[in-house]
Structures are given as C-alpha cells and as structure tokens.
Amino acid sequence: METTPRPEASVFISYAWGEQLQTKEWIRRDIVSSLGWKYRVFWDRDSVGFGQNIDFLIDRALQERPLTVLCLCDSDFVMAMARPGSGLQRELSMLQSLDGEANVRIVPVLLCAHARTVLPPALQGRAYLDLTELHAQSIPLGEFLLAVADGCTQAQIVREVNERLDYHALRARAMAWNRNANVNFTGWASTHEVMADGRLLRPPDWMYESPDWSYMIHDDNGHFSPAHGRWLWDHSTPSRAMQALGTATASTLFSNFLRPETHGMFNLAGSVLAIRVFSFIKSHEPFSISSAEIIQTLMNDADGYRVMQRLFPPAPSLATE
C-alpha cells in the first residue's frame, strides 16, 4: 500500500443515515479514519455544518477531481433510495450526472445480501465490491476501502477479503476450542518455575525423545532445569532455551493434538512464542499469559498462523447427492 498522503485526491462517502444518528458512527471509526490520513474525505456528518445547504455542498464535493465515490449499500441505503424525495435520491441523481466523466470512479460497496439486485440506475453496471460477509461479522472494512481508493485491482482486494474471512473463521474455531481448554501459564521470577494452571510445566514425553531437545532437557543450571519445571526467559535475543519453553508451553496447551507428525509444528510454535513473548520479559520479572493470548500471538505471526491452520482446519463440507 502506498503510504504517501494524497491531499489532491478526494473520496466521497455516500450512505444512508438510518433511524438514529449514532447508528452510522461506525463509518467514522472504521472508514473515515482509514481514509482521512491520506485523502480528502467528504462525509456529511463532518463536512456539513449547521445551517449550510447540504445539496450545494454535496454538489461541490462531487466536482472534485480525481474523485472516488464509495456508495455504502446497506439495508438503510436500499430503503432510502426508494423513498421519494429523500436526500439519497437527490444524491444519486447527482451521481448519475457524472456518468462517463474522467477521473471519477463510482463504486457500489455491497453491505447487505439483496443490495446487488436493487441497485439504482446510477450504480447499475458498475464493478462493485461485495463486503456483505465482512459487514455481517462486524469485521472492519476501512482497509479494503482504502485499497479501492488506492486503485488496487478487483483480484487483489477480493483475495485480501477472502484472507481476512479465513483469518476470522480460524480465530473463531480456535477461541471456541479454548473455551474448554482455557489454560493460564505463570512464571515466577524468584525461582523461574513455570506453572500451567497450578502445575509445574515440564517437557512433554516427546521432547525427552526428540534429538532437538533430549540433549538439554536434563540440564540443571540454576534457573534452567526443564525436568524440574524451571525455564529461562529474558529480555534479549531469543535463545534455544526460550524456544524450549515455548515448545513445552504450546505442547501443554494443545496436548490433545500431540502426534509424532505434529512435533515439528510444535517446534515452530515454540519459536514464535520465544520470539514474540518470552524474549520480551526480563529475567527478574514474573509473567502470566493466558491460552487466549497465546492463540492470538500465534494467529498474528505468519509461522504461527500456519500452525493454527493445521490445528484447527475447517470442518469438512457435507457431500451432496
């Protein structure tokens, strides 16, 4: 994404207010904030002052060039565009007059399932962006609309939308599983003992047998004695000992997934936790990390995400006759 502000370019947000003023405040939090740092954004709640002529200001904003118009087609939009004399009807008439003009893009953004079949003449025949599923799940839309304003292709944005849906679906599966697991890991600074829900965290059996770990599991060097539940963490470069702690943590949390073919996956998870968690805690500081935090940490790392994909694949679809 291009990070240079483009104050010469404008984005006009077309939408319907809905029944109450606060109903559409999500547009400010999500879309306006995502676009406003880079583009001049016309959103009537911020761009029209009390006593000003709304239609005049809208018409003036639509004369800006280059101009991207984002039409947020939700259920309120569908109802308002069919209501005679509504402000949205007048706005759509202005948009229709821009048809074919250079440096103007009018983009229908679908936010409800039936919007596609009832688009008004001003929006018909235009390439639309379908964010219905994201909106239904209350997933922020701003970055995708910024991509539209930036001129990203349909293929690029659709791929990013699908990746975001996959991410949230995977996270939902993992968090649903965690409601039953819900383990808390605590490290005591004075002894460097690590507890998993009140029990000493010791290496799982497979780590004793693994050539990756067997040589160090029986070490007994002050604060590092894995067999006795003492582990190393420190605010420094991630070490092999920190990876061992991460691997034991992941193996304990996801113990019901342990199989010989998954050991490499737990080593990878251990590396992620060493880099993103245990190397950020000073050796004289205690720590407490929940299973939900561990899951989120893995979800937000490329290697960790691959681990989570293997642990929580989507349910197989039912075959149909």
PDB file of all heavy atoms in Angstrom, residues 219-249:
ATOM      1  N   ASP A 219      19.290 -30.651  31.706  1.00  0.00           N
ATOM      2  CA  ASP A 219      20.183 -29.622  32.252  1.00  0.00           C
ATOM      3  C   ASP A 219      19.649 -29.121  33.581  1.00  0.00           C
ATOM      4  O   ASP A 219      18.432 -29.036  33.791  1.00  0.00           O
ATOM      5  CB  ASP A 219      20.292 -28.431  31.281  1.00  0.00           C
ATOM      6  CG  ASP A 219      21.159 -28.742  30.074  1.00  0.00           C
ATOM      7  OD1 ASP A 219      21.656 -29.881  29.994  1.00  0.00           O
ATOM      8  OD2 ASP A 219      21.313 -27.858  29.211  1.00  0.00           O
ATOM      9  N   ASP A 220      20.548 -28.805  34.476  1.00  0.00           N
ATOM     10  CA  ASP A 220      20.148 -28.261  35.783  1.00  0.00           C
ATOM     11  C   ASP A 220      21.121 -27.147  36.141  1.00  0.00           C
ATOM     12  O   ASP A 220      22.078 -27.337  36.887  1.00  0.00           O
ATOM     13  CB  ASP A 220      20.166 -29.377  36.834  1.00  0.00           C
ATOM     14  CG  ASP A 220      19.523 -28.918  38.146  1.00  0.00           C
ATOM     15  OD1 ASP A 220      19.161 -27.718  38.252  1.00  0.00           O
ATOM     16  OD2 ASP A 220      19.395 -29.746  39.065  1.00  0.00           O
ATOM     17  N   ASN A 221      20.863 -25.976  35.555  1.00  0.00           N
ATOM     18  CA  ASN A 221      21.772 -24.845  35.703  1.00  0.00           C
ATOM     19  C   ASN A 221      21.028 -23.657  36.304  1.00  0.00           C
ATOM     20  O   ASN A 221      20.544 -22.790  35.592  1.00  0.00           O
ATOM     21  CB  ASN A 221      22.360 -24.433  34.345  1.00  0.00           C
ATOM     22  CG  ASN A 221      23.106 -25.575  33.675  1.00  0.00           C
ATOM     23  OD1 ASN A 221      23.826 -26.306  34.338  1.00  0.00           O
ATOM     24  ND2 ASN A 221      22.909 -25.743  32.376  1.00  0.00           N
ATOM     25  N   GLY A 222      20.914 -23.646  37.583  1.00  0.00           N
ATOM     26  CA  GLY A 222      20.266 -22.521  38.249  1.00  0.00           C
ATOM     27  C   GLY A 222      18.818 -22.371  37.836  1.00  0.00           C
ATOM     28  O   GLY A 222      17.961 -23.179  38.191  1.00  0.00           O
ATOM     29  N   HIS A 223      18.551 -21.324  37.050  1.00  0.00           N
ATOM     30  CA  HIS A 223      17.174 -21.040  36.636  1.00  0.00           C
ATOM     31  C   HIS A 223      16.721 -21.872  35.450  1.00  0.00           C
ATOM     32  O   HIS A 223      15.587 -21.721  34.994  1.00  0.00           O
ATOM     33  CB  HIS A 223      17.033 -19.556  36.287  1.00  0.00           C
ATOM     34  CG  HIS A 223      16.946 -18.688  37.499  1.00  0.00           C
ATOM     35  ND1 HIS A 223      17.076 -17.321  37.437  1.00  0.00           N
ATOM     36  CD2 HIS A 223      16.752 -18.983  38.811  1.00  0.00           C
ATOM     37  CE1 HIS A 223      16.951 -16.808  38.652  1.00  0.00           C
ATOM     38  NE2 HIS A 223      16.760 -17.812  39.496  1.00  0.00           N
ATOM     39  N   PHE A 224      17.580 -22.747  34.944  1.00  0.00           N
ATOM     40  CA  PHE A 224      17.179 -23.562  33.793  1.00  0.00           C
ATOM     41  C   PHE A 224      17.299 -25.039  34.134  1.00  0.00           C
ATOM     42  O   PHE A 224      18.402 -25.596  34.192  1.00  0.00           O
ATOM     43  CB  PHE A 224      18.029 -23.228  32.563  1.00  0.00           C
ATOM     44  CG  PHE A 224      17.562 -23.956  31.321  1.00  0.00           C
ATOM     45  CD1 PHE A 224      16.373 -23.615  30.699  1.00  0.00           C
ATOM     46  CD2 PHE A 224      18.328 -24.977  30.775  1.00  0.00           C
ATOM     47  CE1 PHE A 224      15.949 -24.288  29.563  1.00  0.00           C
ATOM     48  CE2 PHE A 224      17.916 -25.657  29.644  1.00  0.00           C
ATOM     49  CZ  PHE A 224      16.717 -25.306  29.026  1.00  0.00           C
ATOM     50  N   SER A 225      16.171 -25.648  34.424  1.00  0.00           N
ATOM     51  CA  SER A 225      16.108 -27.081  34.705  1.00  0.00           C
ATOM     52  C   SER A 225      14.733 -27.576  34.262  1.00  0.00           C
ATOM     53  O   SER A 225      13.823 -27.733  35.083  1.00  0.00           O
ATOM     54  CB  SER A 225      16.333 -27.353  36.198  1.00  0.00           C
ATOM     55  OG  SER A 225      16.270 -28.737  36.468  1.00  0.00           O
ATOM     56  N   PRO A 226      14.542 -27.773  32.956  1.00  0.00           N
ATOM     57  CA  PRO A 226      13.212 -28.113  32.437  1.00  0.00           C
ATOM     58  C   PRO A 226      12.563 -29.299  33.140  1.00  0.00           C
ATOM     59  O   PRO A 226      11.343 -29.272  33.409  1.00  0.00           O
ATOM     60  CB  PRO A 226      13.492 -28.420  30.961  1.00  0.00           C
ATOM     61  CG  PRO A 226      14.698 -27.609  30.639  1.00  0.00           C
ATOM     62  CD  PRO A 226      15.540 -27.651  31.879  1.00  0.00           C
ATOM     63  N   ALA A 227      13.362 -30.334  33.438  1.00  0.00           N
ATOM     64  CA  ALA A 227      12.771 -31.517  34.072  1.00  0.00           C
ATOM     65  C   ALA A 227      12.184 -31.192  35.436  1.00  0.00           C
ATOM     66  O   ALA A 227      11.309 -31.908  35.938  1.00  0.00           O
ATOM     67  CB  ALA A 227      13.827 -32.614  34.200  1.00  0.00           C
ATOM     68  N   HIS A 228      12.646 -30.100  36.055  1.00  0.00           N
ATOM     69  CA  HIS A 228      12.134 -29.688  37.363  1.00  0.00           C
ATOM     70  C   HIS A 228      11.206 -28.477  37.252  1.00  0.00           C
ATOM     71  O   HIS A 228      10.873 -27.850  38.260  1.00  0.00           O
ATOM     72  CB  HIS A 228      13.299 -29.366  38.311  1.00  0.00           C
ATOM     73  CG  HIS A 228      14.174 -30.545  38.602  1.00  0.00           C
ATOM     74  ND1 HIS A 228      15.321 -30.814  37.883  1.00  0.00           N
ATOM     75  CD2 HIS A 228      14.061 -31.531  39.529  1.00  0.00           C
ATOM     76  CE1 HIS A 228      15.872 -31.909  38.350  1.00  0.00           C
ATOM     77  NE2 HIS A 228      15.145 -32.379  39.358  1.00  0.00           N
ATOM     78  N   GLY A 229      10.830 -28.141  36.023  1.00  0.00           N
ATOM     79  CA  GLY A 229       9.868 -27.054  35.828  1.00  0.00           C
ATOM     80  C   GLY A 229      10.448 -25.669  35.909  1.00  0.00           C
ATOM     81  O   GLY A 229       9.705 -24.700  36.100  1.00  0.00           O
ATOM     82  N   ARG A 230      11.783 -25.550  35.758  1.00  0.00           N
ATOM     83  CA  ARG A 230      12.420 -24.235  35.768  1.00  0.00           C
ATOM     84  C   ARG A 230      12.902 -23.909  34.355  1.00  0.00           C
ATOM     85  O   ARG A 230      13.598 -24.724  33.734  1.00  0.00           O
ATOM     86  CB  ARG A 230      13.592 -24.191  36.763  1.00  0.00           C
ATOM     87  CG  ARG A 230      13.171 -24.433  38.209  1.00  0.00           C
ATOM     88  CD  ARG A 230      14.253 -23.971  39.191  1.00  0.00           C
ATOM     89  NE  ARG A 230      15.541 -24.570  38.951  1.00  0.00           N
ATOM     90  CZ  ARG A 230      15.931 -25.751  39.429  1.00  0.00           C
ATOM     91  NH1 ARG A 230      15.089 -26.464  40.185  1.00  0.00           N
ATOM     92  NH2 ARG A 230      17.134 -26.212  39.173  1.00  0.00           N
ATOM     93  N   TRP A 231      12.542 -22.723  33.894  1.00  0.00           N
ATOM     94  CA  TRP A 231      12.780 -22.360  32.499  1.00  0.00           C
ATOM     95  C   TRP A 231      13.429 -20.982  32.402  1.00  0.00           C
ATOM     96  O   TRP A 231      13.354 -20.195  33.332  1.00  0.00           O
ATOM     97  CB  TRP A 231      11.467 -22.363  31.711  1.00  0.00           C
ATOM     98  CG  TRP A 231      10.752 -23.670  31.732  1.00  0.00           C
ATOM     99  CD1 TRP A 231       9.886 -24.108  32.695  1.00  0.00           C
ATOM    100  CD2 TRP A 231      10.856 -24.713  30.774  1.00  0.00           C
ATOM    101  NE1 TRP A 231       9.427 -25.374  32.386  1.00  0.00           N
ATOM    102  CE2 TRP A 231      10.015 -25.767  31.195  1.00  0.00           C
ATOM    103  CE3 TRP A 231      11.579 -24.877  29.585  1.00  0.00           C
ATOM    104  CZ2 TRP A 231       9.856 -26.947  30.484  1.00  0.00           C
ATOM    105  CZ3 TRP A 231      11.431 -26.053  28.859  1.00  0.00           C
ATOM    106  CH2 TRP A 231      10.585 -27.076  29.313  1.00  0.00           C
ATOM    107  N   LEU A 232      14.002 -20.726  31.235  1.00  0.00           N
ATOM    108  CA  LEU A 232      14.680 -19.452  31.016  1.00  0.00           C
ATOM    109  C   LEU A 232      13.813 -18.510  30.187  1.00  0.00           C
ATOM    110  O   LEU A 232      13.242 -18.900  29.181  1.00  0.00           O
ATOM    111  CB  LEU A 232      16.008 -19.690  30.289  1.00  0.00           C
ATOM    112  CG  LEU A 232      16.809 -18.422  29.953  1.00  0.00           C
ATOM    113  CD1 LEU A 232      17.296 -17.749  31.233  1.00  0.00           C
ATOM    114  CD2 LEU A 232      17.985 -18.754  29.035  1.00  0.00           C
ATOM    115  N   TRP A 233      13.697 -17.254  30.650  1.00  0.00           N
ATOM    116  CA  TRP A 233      13.165 -16.166  29.829  1.00  0.00           C
ATOM    117  C   TRP A 233      13.967 -14.917  30.157  1.00  0.00           C
ATOM    118  O   TRP A 233      14.470 -14.752  31.264  1.00  0.00           O
ATOM    119  CB  TRP A 233      11.671 -15.946  30.073  1.00  0.00           C
ATOM    120  CG  TRP A 233      11.300 -15.517  31.469  1.00  0.00           C
ATOM    121  CD1 TRP A 233      11.261 -14.252  31.969  1.00  0.00           C
ATOM    122  CD2 TRP A 233      10.889 -16.366  32.544  1.00  0.00           C
ATOM    123  NE1 TRP A 233      10.857 -14.248  33.284  1.00  0.00           N
ATOM    124  CE2 TRP A 233      10.616 -15.546  33.670  1.00  0.00           C
ATOM    125  CE3 TRP A 233      10.731 -17.755  32.691  1.00  0.00           C
ATOM    126  CZ2 TRP A 233      10.198 -16.043  34.890  1.00  0.00           C
ATOM    127  CZ3 TRP A 233      10.317 -18.257  33.902  1.00  0.00           C
ATOM    128  CH2 TRP A 233      10.050 -17.407  34.996  1.00  0.00           C
ATOM    129  N   ASP A 234      14.122 -14.049  29.172  1.00  0.00           N
ATOM    130  CA  ASP A 234      14.885 -12.824  29.401  1.00  0.00           C
ATOM    131  C   ASP A 234      14.650 -11.869  28.234  1.00  0.00           C
ATOM    132  O   ASP A 234      14.339 -12.302  27.115  1.00  0.00           O
ATOM    133  CB  ASP A 234      16.378 -13.125  29.513  1.00  0.00           C
ATOM    134  CG  ASP A 234      17.151 -11.972  30.176  1.00  0.00           C
ATOM    135  OD1 ASP A 234      16.503 -11.002  30.610  1.00  0.00           O
ATOM    136  OD2 ASP A 234      18.389 -12.068  30.243  1.00  0.00           O
ATOM    137  N   HIS A 235      14.771 -10.587  28.531  1.00  0.00           N
ATOM    138  CA  HIS A 235      14.605  -9.563  27.503  1.00  0.00           C
ATOM    139  C   HIS A 235      15.897  -9.475  26.706  1.00  0.00           C
ATOM    140  O   HIS A 235      16.765  -8.630  26.957  1.00  0.00           O
ATOM    141  CB  HIS A 235      14.267  -8.211  28.152  1.00  0.00           C
ATOM    142  CG  HIS A 235      13.857  -7.171  27.148  1.00  0.00           C
ATOM    143  ND1 HIS A 235      14.478  -5.954  27.055  1.00  0.00           N
ATOM    144  CD2 HIS A 235      12.897  -7.189  26.192  1.00  0.00           C
ATOM    145  CE1 HIS A 235      13.916  -5.250  26.085  1.00  0.00           C
ATOM    146  NE2 HIS A 235      12.954  -5.986  25.552  1.00  0.00           N
ATOM    147  N   SER A 236      16.028 -10.372  25.734  1.00  0.00           N
ATOM    148  CA  SER A 236      17.263 -10.474  24.960  1.00  0.00           C
ATOM    149  C   SER A 236      16.948 -11.214  23.664  1.00  0.00           C
ATOM    150  O   SER A 236      15.786 -11.518  23.363  1.00  0.00           O
ATOM    151  CB  SER A 236      18.333 -11.229  25.760  1.00  0.00           C
ATOM    152  OG  SER A 236      17.906 -12.558  26.022  1.00  0.00           O
ATOM    153  N   THR A 237      17.992 -11.511  22.921  1.00  0.00           N
ATOM    154  CA  THR A 237      17.806 -12.284  21.689  1.00  0.00           C
ATOM    155  C   THR A 237      17.210 -13.649  22.033  1.00  0.00           C
ATOM    156  O   THR A 237      17.675 -14.315  22.962  1.00  0.00           O
ATOM    157  CB  THR A 237      19.157 -12.479  20.981  1.00  0.00           C
ATOM    158  OG1 THR A 237      19.728 -11.200  20.709  1.00  0.00           O
ATOM    159  CG2 THR A 237      18.982 -13.259  19.686  1.00  0.00           C
ATOM    160  N   PRO A 238      16.167 -14.074  21.316  1.00  0.00           N
ATOM    161  CA  PRO A 238      15.555 -15.377  21.611  1.00  0.00           C
ATOM    162  C   PRO A 238      16.589 -16.495  21.538  1.00  0.00           C
ATOM    163  O   PRO A 238      17.342 -16.597  20.573  1.00  0.00           O
ATOM    164  CB  PRO A 238      14.497 -15.526  20.508  1.00  0.00           C
ATOM    165  CG  PRO A 238      14.219 -14.136  20.059  1.00  0.00           C
ATOM    166  CD  PRO A 238      15.500 -13.377  20.210  1.00  0.00           C
ATOM    167  N   SER A 239      16.618 -17.296  22.583  1.00  0.00           N
ATOM    168  CA  SER A 239      17.619 -18.363  22.672  1.00  0.00           C
ATOM    169  C   SER A 239      16.951 -19.716  22.469  1.00  0.00           C
ATOM    170  O   SER A 239      15.725 -19.854  22.443  1.00  0.00           O
ATOM    171  CB  SER A 239      18.301 -18.334  24.043  1.00  0.00           C
ATOM    172  OG  SER A 239      17.346 -18.618  25.060  1.00  0.00           O
ATOM    173  N   ARG A 240      17.791 -20.725  22.343  1.00  0.00           N
ATOM    174  CA  ARG A 240      17.289 -22.102  22.233  1.00  0.00           C
ATOM    175  C   ARG A 240      16.519 -22.487  23.485  1.00  0.00           C
ATOM    176  O   ARG A 240      15.505 -23.183  23.415  1.00  0.00           O
ATOM    177  CB  ARG A 240      18.469 -23.040  22.019  1.00  0.00           C
ATOM    178  CG  ARG A 240      18.096 -24.467  21.685  1.00  0.00           C
ATOM    179  CD  ARG A 240      17.480 -24.575  20.322  1.00  0.00           C
ATOM    180  NE  ARG A 240      17.277 -25.977  19.935  1.00  0.00           N
ATOM    181  CZ  ARG A 240      16.435 -26.368  18.998  1.00  0.00           C
ATOM    182  NH1 ARG A 240      15.710 -25.467  18.347  1.00  0.00           N
ATOM    183  NH2 ARG A 240      16.314 -27.635  18.692  1.00  0.00           N
ATOM    184  N   ALA A 241      16.979 -22.025  24.644  1.00  0.00           N
ATOM    185  CA  ALA A 241      16.292 -22.334  25.897  1.00  0.00           C
ATOM    186  C   ALA A 241      14.905 -21.696  25.925  1.00  0.00           C
ATOM    187  O   ALA A 241      13.945 -22.294  26.426  1.00  0.00           O
ATOM    188  CB  ALA A 241      17.116 -21.846  27.079  1.00  0.00           C
ATOM    189  N   MET A 242      14.768 -20.482  25.381  1.00  0.00           N
ATOM    190  CA  MET A 242      13.442 -19.848  25.320  1.00  0.00           C
ATOM    191  C   MET A 242      12.539 -20.595  24.354  1.00  0.00           C
ATOM    192  O   MET A 242      11.333 -20.727  24.579  1.00  0.00           O
ATOM    193  CB  MET A 242      13.574 -18.385  24.888  1.00  0.00           C
ATOM    194  CG  MET A 242      14.233 -17.484  25.915  1.00  0.00           C
ATOM    195  SD  MET A 242      14.186 -15.759  25.356  1.00  0.00           S
ATOM    196  CE  MET A 242      15.729 -15.172  26.032  1.00  0.00           C
ATOM    197  N   GLN A 243      13.116 -21.100  23.251  1.00  0.00           N
ATOM    198  CA  GLN A 243      12.310 -21.888  22.325  1.00  0.00           C
ATOM    199  C   GLN A 243      11.820 -23.167  23.001  1.00  0.00           C
ATOM    200  O   GLN A 243      10.696 -23.615  22.767  1.00  0.00           O
ATOM    201  CB  GLN A 243      13.109 -22.236  21.071  1.00  0.00           C
ATOM    202  CG  GLN A 243      12.249 -22.960  20.016  1.00  0.00           C
ATOM    203  CD  GLN A 243      13.049 -23.436  18.816  1.00  0.00           C
ATOM    204  OE1 GLN A 243      14.230 -23.103  18.673  1.00  0.00           O
ATOM    205  NE2 GLN A 243      12.413 -24.211  17.957  1.00  0.00           N
ATOM    206  N   ALA A 244      12.677 -23.750  23.860  1.00  0.00           N
ATOM    207  CA  ALA A 244      12.242 -24.946  24.592  1.00  0.00           C
ATOM    208  C   ALA A 244      11.037 -24.618  25.464  1.00  0.00           C
ATOM    209  O   ALA A 244      10.070 -25.395  25.533  1.00  0.00           O
ATOM    210  CB  ALA A 244      13.400 -25.469  25.449  1.00  0.00           C
ATOM    211  N   LEU A 245      11.072 -23.470  26.135  1.00  0.00           N
ATOM    212  CA  LEU A 245       9.928 -23.049  26.942  1.00  0.00           C
ATOM    213  C   LEU A 245       8.695 -22.860  26.063  1.00  0.00           C
ATOM    214  O   LEU A 245       7.592 -23.302  26.420  1.00  0.00           O
ATOM    215  CB  LEU A 245      10.266 -21.752  27.677  1.00  0.00           C
ATOM    216  CG  LEU A 245       9.119 -21.042  28.405  1.00  0.00           C
ATOM    217  CD1 LEU A 245       8.432 -21.964  29.406  1.00  0.00           C
ATOM    218  CD2 LEU A 245       9.626 -19.773  29.083  1.00  0.00           C
ATOM    219  N   GLY A 246       8.879 -22.224  24.915  1.00  0.00           N
ATOM    220  CA  GLY A 246       7.748 -22.022  24.011  1.00  0.00           C
ATOM    221  C   GLY A 246       7.179 -23.335  23.512  1.00  0.00           C
ATOM    222  O   GLY A 246       5.951 -23.507  23.439  1.00  0.00           O
ATOM    223  N   THR A 247       8.048 -24.282  23.186  1.00  0.00           N
ATOM    224  CA  THR A 247       7.597 -25.578  22.683  1.00  0.00           C
ATOM    225  C   THR A 247       6.850 -26.353  23.759  1.00  0.00           C
ATOM    226  O   THR A 247       5.808 -26.972  23.495  1.00  0.00           O
ATOM    227  CB  THR A 247       8.801 -26.388  22.173  1.00  0.00           C
ATOM    228  OG1 THR A 247       9.447 -25.658  21.115  1.00  0.00           O
ATOM    229  CG2 THR A 247       8.374 -27.750  21.654  1.00  0.00           C
ATOM    230  N   ALA A 248       7.368 -26.335  24.987  1.00  0.00           N
ATOM    231  CA  ALA A 248       6.673 -27.016  26.089  1.00  0.00           C
ATOM    232  C   ALA A 248       5.326 -26.354  26.371  1.00  0.00           C
ATOM    233  O   ALA A 248       4.330 -27.036  26.655  1.00  0.00           O
ATOM    234  CB  ALA A 248       7.547 -26.995  27.339  1.00  0.00           C
ATOM    235  N   THR A 249       5.292 -25.028  26.282  1.00  0.00           N
ATOM    236  CA  THR A 249       4.036 -24.304  26.506  1.00  0.00           C
ATOM    237  C   THR A 249       3.006 -24.684  25.460  1.00  0.00           C
ATOM    238  O   THR A 249       1.856 -25.011  25.787  1.00  0.00           O
ATOM    239  CB  THR A 249       4.296 -22.777  26.466  1.00  0.00           C
ATOM    240  OG1 THR A 249       5.201 -22.423  27.518  1.00  0.00           O
ATOM    241  CG2 THR A 249       2.996 -22.004  26.626  1.00  0.00           C
TER     242      THR A 249
END
